[in-house]
Amino acid sequence: MSIPNSRTRTKLSVNVNKIALLRNSRDTTIPSVVAAAQTCIAAGAAGITIHPRPDMRHIRPGDVFDLAALLAQPANQAIEFNIEGNPFAGPEANGFPGFMALVEATRPAQCTLVPDDPAQLTSDHGWDLSGDNSRLQAIIQQLHQTGCRVSLFMDPVPDQLRLAKQLGADRIEFYTGPYADHFARQQAGQPNQHEQILAAFVAAAEVANALGLGINAGHDLNQQNLATFCQAVRPVAEVSIGHGLITDALWAGLDTTVRTYDTILENVG
């Protein structure tokens, strides 16, 4: 099968949640989420990603507005703002206004809808679209009316991707946690299903391409496994990377680390 635009450059969107998590460990304003985003942009990041959760464990509503203001500046208008989260997360007594309220107020370039539970440590699965999706479809339509691109967080299951297309999604973001886990096992010489799992993503990407769905990817991608994934799964429009990148930055610095990840993507082509 011929894959269109297979040599399109994959963009790097840096998830700055972990910067906010560190700041929130103290009653302080440092490290600054906005300053971190500015450093990432100066180092070549094509986008900034955040995932505001109802418990406000990291990104807070004020961060969403501050980052929206930063990216609205003329010099940053080419930088995409990607807000991800559960669209059904409503207002909370702690001051969280609800996910959709934040999105509607800040109008990001892309909204990645994730089926995470408030109690989850992190996102760990894609949408199961087998049932009634009328609420989700209405939200997708609502986001489109604001000019927002909609991506659904998905596992590499072809039938589920077909349902995502039917709901009106523009892109899907592959949940790459299992890929990263088995890649690490393979590198450590441990029993793994790396080849089978990567093959499932390749096959699902072919389905997504045939459907006209753009492909994003995220979760546990790092310097070791990023190139292998993007070389095999074509074309990946964007990767959203937070935990691995910020961890690497503790040793190499944020500017250098963003440049390193961007170079990996540039070399993939």
Side-chain angles (χ1 to χ4, degrees), residues 18-23 31 36 39 223 242-258 260-261:
K18 287 299 188 296
I19 303 296
L21 182 68
L22 179 58
R23 177 201 62 196
T39 297
Q223 291 187 48
H243 184 82
L245 189 151
I246 300 302
T247 299
D248 292 338
L250 293 175
W251 278 266
L254 186 56
D255 179 274
T256 297
T257 301
V258 171
T260 298
Y261 275 83

Side-chain angles (χ1 to χ4, degrees), residues 82-258:
N82 174 41
I83 303 181
E84 59 182 30
N86 191 324
F88 305 132
E92 299 286 342
N94 62 5
F96 183 76
F99 180 80
M100 287 300 295
L102 285 172
V103 171
E104 289 172 358
T106 56
R107 300 201 171 197
Q110 178 174 268
C111 188
T112 303
L113 305 182
V114 182
D116 60 342
D117 184 272
Q120 281 180 231
L121 180 62
T122 186
S123 306
D124 60 10
H125 63 278
W127 288 96
D128 178 358
L129 303 175
S130 302
D132 179 9
N133 299 299
S134 55
R135 288 180 65 204
L136 183 59
Q137 186 172 32
I139 285 173
I140 292 173
Q141 293 172 348
Q142 179 181 348
L143 290 168
H144 281 159
Q145 289 173 359
T146 69
C148 184
R149 181 199 307 135
V150 179
S151 177
L152 295 184
F153 198 63
M154 302 295 293
D155 299 311
V157 180
D159 285 346
Q160 292 290 324
L161 301 187
R162 295 185 182 98
L163 292 171
K165 178 64 176 181
Q166 291 175 16
L167 291 180
D170 304 295
R171 293 186 183 181
I172 51 93
E173 178 176 321
F174 279 135
Y175 165 56
T176 51
Y179 159 76
D181 180 34
H182 284 265
F183 181 96
R185 293 183 193 182
Q186 182 193 60
Q187 297 300 301
Q190 299 172 351
N192 66 86
Q193 296 180 322
H194 169 69
E195 298 299 334
Q196 300 95 310
I197 289 174
L198 184 57
F201 279 104
V202 172
E206 291 180 353
V207 172
N209 280 308
L211 291 169
L213 286 168
I215 299 172
N216 296 341
H219 212 282
D220 292 336
L221 295 174
N222 57 33
Q223 291 187 48
Q224 290 69 46
N225 61 37
L226 179 59
T228 298
F229 186 87
C230 290
Q231 286 166 349
V233 180
R234 296 278 189 165
V236 178
E238 171 191 292
V239 290
S240 175
I241 305 179
H243 184 82
L245 189 151
I246 300 302
T247 299
D248 292 338
L250 293 175
W251 278 266
L254 186 56
D255 179 274
T256 297
T257 301
V258 171

